[in-house]
Structure formats: structure tokens, C-alpha cells
Amino acid sequence: MNARILASLIAGAALLAAPAIAADKDSGETHSAAAEYKPNSATKRFTGIFNGRSVSYTATVAEQVLKDDKGTPKAAIVTTAYIAEPRDANRPVTFLFNGGPGSASVWLQMGAFGPKRVGIPSDARDDGAPPYPILDNPDSLLDVTDLVFIDPVGTGWSHAIGDTDPKDYWGVSQDAKSVAQVIRQWLSENGRWNSPKFLGGESYGTTRSAAVVNELEGGYNDVSLNGVILISTVLDFAAGAETEGAELGYITTLPSFAATALYHGKAQAASVEQFVDEARQFAIGPYAAFLLKGQKASAEERIAVRRELSRFTGLSEDYLERADLRVSSGRFYKELLRDRGLTVGRLDSRYTGKDYDNAGEYPDNDPSFYGIDGGYTAAVNAFMRDTIGYKTDRQYVTIGGVNDWDWRLKGGRDTDAYLNVAPYLGRALRENSGLRIYVGQGWYDFATPFFAAEYALSRTGFPQDRIQFQYYDAGHMMYVRDEDRAKLSRDIREFIRSR
């Protein structure tokens, strides 16, 4: 990931975030107000056609209140549940969230799996200005599973209560504990403890999925799961780290460079599948060996690697030499189409943008983010507020509502230095024989490159026969492309049915 671009996106989005409730921490009035907190909710009934099947369902937007050991309300986490009628306790239920950290579930809900979706261009064009169509979504999974979308504290309308500091929930482990608590409460309130259960996340939501699995299955008071759905996966953060001395990220990103170069006509191959497989083999073979040797690599080896690197990336050998054969993703976005005066996207490198000028190392912004955000923000507010009837004065935070995230796993020096939540999933697979993992990756995703996901889930300790990979001809949010939204729905529907 390019830290500069990600920081700018989050900083900009944070301007839209709802402010934390102001309170005097020494005032008894704050504690009294918290104790009397009444959760907000709205419910409406609908009927829709999903995968050719008519389904009546109830949509409920509701605050799940988290309390401390003394029963004092500490936070309100908003869930949006779509439950088929008549209710069936034997029917699967799937809990879903997006990532960030700091992103609401609007993307998966209004783009992929919810019963309604926003209509935006499918061919990597900007979504333009409103009104944006809010459409029936025949690709929703409601024909095979009930759906519960979760917005962690600081995202969507979820917030801390009273004098609670929202930062208490802003960390890998803290966030996972709160989401696991919401899931347990929802199961109790809705009589679903013995239902088949699936957990799904996108982007940092896959990180959260692994950490939540650890909270649900890592102790004696288990909530066992049937499956975990990972969409645009990031588990081992060292696999994509871009910092001086870290070489692994260049290896795991190279196949994404190749896919993008091929898409934009900067490389030649029979198919993206064939080309990225060649890039995989080069990355873990000659390129990895070259990187590990550092300045001890021979001149002959350098020439051979530079030639192949140019073939896969579409960048000139002169540029690669000036970059010491180590091209960061941010530089790639700017350089690949510099001769056309264009940049490529980070979330989805099919998208192109035009910067203020054609100089510099990094793009001004990510065209694959500003190309979709307006439509999604308008759609979720219109559908939740006007159609379902959820009333609130709070602003809906799509992304950017958290800061100062605590990335420590509290496992000691080595664990803190090497952030990797994948072992949580490995342990869960070994200790739950009924658990399976689905992994969906887009070829054109630089936020969470597909080869990094493959790397993380192929380490020792992962039963490979229960991990399923699927690939899509789009980027991070592959469902923005109509054909891939339909394929994603078919793939996950089959994954749930085959439990």
C-alpha cells in the first residue's frame, strides 16, 4: 500500500466524520445520560427477487448497545439486518463488514450483497453527479442466507456513548472484541445460536475477520463458524510493507503490476491468468533471489532481472535502473501511463485519472476512489433514511471516522513488529473441522494484492483443502463491475450452500 495516498484519502474523508459526543468527563450528568440511553432503530418489510427466487424479508437498522461489567452503556454499534420471512432458525446467517480501518459497511451492502444497490458505471468510469439510481439487486445473497451488516465504532452512525473515549475501540484487538460482542448479542436477541454462521469482510475487514474469529473461537465459550469470506484480503502486513529494507512487498506486488500493464496495453500475453502466473514464478524465483542478495548480486544477474522486470511491468529499463529495480506501487501508478498523461488507480488500476500536471512521482489522488464514493454515500443515506425510515441527526461516515489505530496484537516484541493475523485463521481451521475459507481477489487491486493473500494463506499450518480462491477481472471492489458482481454472488452462494 502507498502510505502517502492512503493517508491523504483518510485525512480527507475524516472531514466528513461525525464528531464524538462532547461531554464533561467530571460531570455526573454524562453518566446519567449514558445509563438512560435508548437505542435507535427502524424496521420495514420488503419483497425482492434474488437469484430468481422471490423472498419476503424484514430490514432492520438498529443500534446494538455495548455495556461494561456494571451495565453502563459504552457504545452504540449500528447493524443493518435483512432477515427472510417467515423466520427460520436453521437458515444460515452471515455477518459482514468493510474495512479501512474506519470504513462503514456501505460498500458491501449497497454494492454487492444487500437487496438494493447503487447503479454506477461498470467500466471504470467516474460515477458523476446525482441522482444515482438505487436498484433492486438480484445478486443479493438473501435467497441462501440472512444478512447482518456491522458498522464498528466511528463508522456509519456507530458511536461511543457519554464520556466513553471512542479510541477504546480503535485497535486490531479492541475492534475485534467489540464486533464479536455485537455478534453474540445479536445471536441471543434473535434466537440464532444454532444457525449455520458465516463471517465476511472486505479489505481491512478481512483483517478484522481473522481477529474476530479469534475472539469467537479462540476460547472455551465458542461461537463456531461454518465459513469465513475474505474479499480483497490483507492478513500479513509485512507482505505489502513499503519501507526501507523491506523486500517482500516488491515480490508480492509484481503480479499486480503485470496484470495492470497487460490491461493498459503496456505488455503482451495471451491472457491475464497466464501472464500473472509467469509473473508469480519470476517474482518468487529470480527476482526474490536478486532482492535477497542486495548489493552482492552480480552484474549479469542484474541485467537479466531488469529485462524481465521491464517485460512484466511495462516500465522502461532505464526507469527501473533509476529505481534500483524496486518500484513502489505509488510510483507505478504515476509512471505506467505517463506517456499518455494519465495515472492508474490504487483500489482498481483499470481506472485512470488526470493529474494537475504530468511531473512528479505520485498521483494527486486515487481515481478508483473518487470515481465511486459520491454514488455510494448518496445511496446509503437515501435508502436508510428515506426508505427504511432510520431517523438520526448524525452524519453517516463512509470512511475516515477513526484515527490513532492501535496495530499491536499484544503478543510481545516480535508479534508487534510483525503484524500478521493469518495465524488466527490457521488455528481456527485446525481446531474446527467444519470451517472453510473463501478468498475473492481482483487482478487489478493494489490496496490488497492477490499474490500477498496467496502468500499469507499458504504458510505452514493452513489446511489447503479448505481454502478456496476465486479471481475477478476488476479491482479491490470487484463488484463495481457488473459481470464480477454476478460471479462473486454465484461463487459465495455456492460456498454457503456447500457447507
Side-chain angles (χ1 to χ4, degrees):
M1 301 180 193
N2 186 281
R4 298 185 189 182
I5 294 175
L6 180 58
S8 67
L9 284 176
I10 292 178
L15 297 176
L16 302 176
I21 297 175
D24 180 354
K25 292 189 177 182
D26 296 325
S27 171
E29 294 180 1
T30 299
H31 294 284
S32 176
E36 297 172 0
Y37 189 86
K38 294 186 179 359
N40 191 12
S41 66
T43 299
K44 189 168 183 177
R45 294 196 171 208
F46 299 87
T47 298
I49 306 293
F50 312 113
N51 192 36
R53 176 185 165 196
S54 178
V55 178
S56 297
Y57 63 95
T58 299
T60 301
V61 186
E63 292 181 330
Q64 299 287 326
V65 176
L66 305 187
K67 300 179 180 180
D68 63 16
D69 294 340
K70 297 180 181 179
T72 303
K74 306 297 288 183
I77 293 183
V78 176
T79 61
T80 305
Y82 299 102
I83 310 300
E85 302 289 353
R87 302 198 171 204
D88 180 1
N90 294 318
R91 180 174 155 87
V93 57
T94 302
F95 298 92
L96 294 157
F97 32 73
N98 277 86
S103 175
S105 63
V106 53
W107 316 102
L108 286 179
Q109 185 173 178
M110 300 301 296
F113 303 134
K116 304 288 183 180
R117 70 172 184 89
V118 60
I120 63 171
S122 175
D123 56 356
R125 288 181 295 115
D126 183 78
D127 58 4
Y132 306 99
I134 299 175
L135 309 170
D136 293 336
N137 183 18
D139 297 316
S140 173
L141 300 171
L142 261 173
D143 59 306
V144 294
T145 179
D146 292 333
L147 301 168
V148 182
F149 295 90
I150 301 173
D151 291 336
V153 172
T155 74
W157 290 304
S158 300
H159 58 93
I161 295 174
D163 61 357
T164 302
D165 188 341
K167 290 183 180 179
D168 292 349
Y169 299 93
W170 293 348
V172 178
S173 299
Q174 302 92 314
D175 168 86
K177 288 180 186 296
S178 68
V179 171
Q181 185 178 347
V182 166
I183 290 172
R184 290 175 182 272
Q185 287 183 191
W186 193 93
L187 293 172
S188 295
E189 293 170 3
N190 290 273
R192 302 298 292 272
W193 273 93
N194 205 30
S195 300
K197 302 174 192 69
F198 293 83
L199 192 67
E202 177 188 288
S203 192
Y204 179 84
T206 64
T207 312
R208 176 181 292 124
S209 292
V212 170
V213 167
N214 184 56
E215 295 296 329
L216 293 177
E217 294 202 8
Y220 293 107
N221 186 26
D222 279 5
V223 177
S224 291
L225 299 169
N226 297 74
V228 179
I229 299 164
L230 306 177
I231 299 173
S232 302
T233 308
V234 55
L235 302 169
D236 184 343
F237 284 76
E242 290 187 349
T243 187
E244 290 186 19
E247 306 281 31
L248 184 56
Y250 299 115
I251 297 168
T252 58
T253 307
L254 179 57
S256 299
F257 286 170
T260 304
L262 183 64
Y263 181 87
H264 290 288
K266 291 289 186 176
Q268 288 78 43
S271 69
V272 65
E273 292 84 359
Q274 172 252 318
F275 198 48
V276 300
D277 193 52
E278 288 183 31
R280 284 187 186 102
Q281 301 313 311
F282 172 72
I284 61 175
Y287 191 43
F290 169 81
L291 293 173
L292 290 173
K293 290 176 185 178
Q295 296 185 57
K296 296 187 181 300
S298 68
E300 293 77 14
E301 188 174 10
R302 186 179 190 88
I303 291 170
V305 167
R306 186 178 63 215
R307 182 175 58 249
E308 282 296 276
L309 201 57
S310 178
R311 182 170 76 88
F312 285 119
T313 64
L315 304 177
S316 71
E317 289 193 47
D318 176 66
Y319 181 84
L320 292 169
E321 186 61 40
R322 284 185 280 121
D324 198 25
L325 278 62
R326 294 163 173 84
V327 179
S328 68
S329 54
R331 283 177 166 175
F332 180 81
Y333 310 149
K334 184 75 174 182
E335 185 65 22
L336 180 67
L337 302 182
R338 192 187 294 270
D339 60 343
R340 303 178 195 172
L342 299 173
T343 64
V344 300
R346 170 181 175 266
L347 294 174
D348 191 332
S349 59
R350 297 177 306 140
Y351 285 76
T352 60
K354 192 167 183 61
D355 284 352
Y356 178 77
D357 61 32
N358 203 30
E361 287 191 277
Y362 302 101
D364 294 346
N365 207 338
D366 180 3
S368 57
F369 183 75
Y370 64 70
I372 65 173
D373 60 337
Y376 276 83
T377 302
V380 71
N381 276 281
F383 182 61
M384 298 297 177
R385 294 177 189 270
D386 303 334
T387 304
I388 297 180
Y390 189 77
K391 304 300 181 185
T392 179
D393 292 332
R394 302 187 71 86
Q395 293 294 310
Y396 188 93
V397 181
T398 58
I399 190 168
V402 308
N403 53 62
D404 297 332
W405 196 258
D406 182 0
W407 293 98
R408 296 168 298 172
L409 294 181
K410 300 177 175 59
R413 182 199 67 182
D414 292 345
T415 304
D416 290 343
Y418 193 103
L419 177 58
N420 183 13
V421 297
Y424 291 150
L425 293 176
R427 177 184 174 185
L429 285 166
R430 296 191 304 271
E431 297 183 0
N432 176 353
S433 62
L435 179 65
R436 295 173 301 115
I437 294 178
Y438 163 91
V439 188
Q441 299 291 138
W443 296 126
Y444 309 109
D445 175 13
F446 279 96
T448 57
F450 61 87
F451 195 36
E454 295 168 3
Y455 172 86
L457 290 167
S458 62
R459 303 302 92 195
T460 299
F462 290 85
Q464 295 297 292
D465 61 335
R466 285 188 279 140
I467 302 175
Q468 168 189 339
F469 275 83
Q470 294 288 345
Y471 299 89
Y472 300 89
D473 292 316
H476 195 65
M477 298 142 158
M478 66 283 292
Y479 44 82
V480 302
R481 182 173 180 267
D482 292 341
E483 297 87 346
D484 283 319
R485 182 179 59 257
K487 179 182 183 314
L488 180 69
S489 176
R490 291 193 302 270
D491 291 342
I492 295 180
R493 181 177 287 106
E494 179 58 30
F495 177 74
I496 291 172
R497 282 175 169 165
S498 62
R499 67 182 186 277

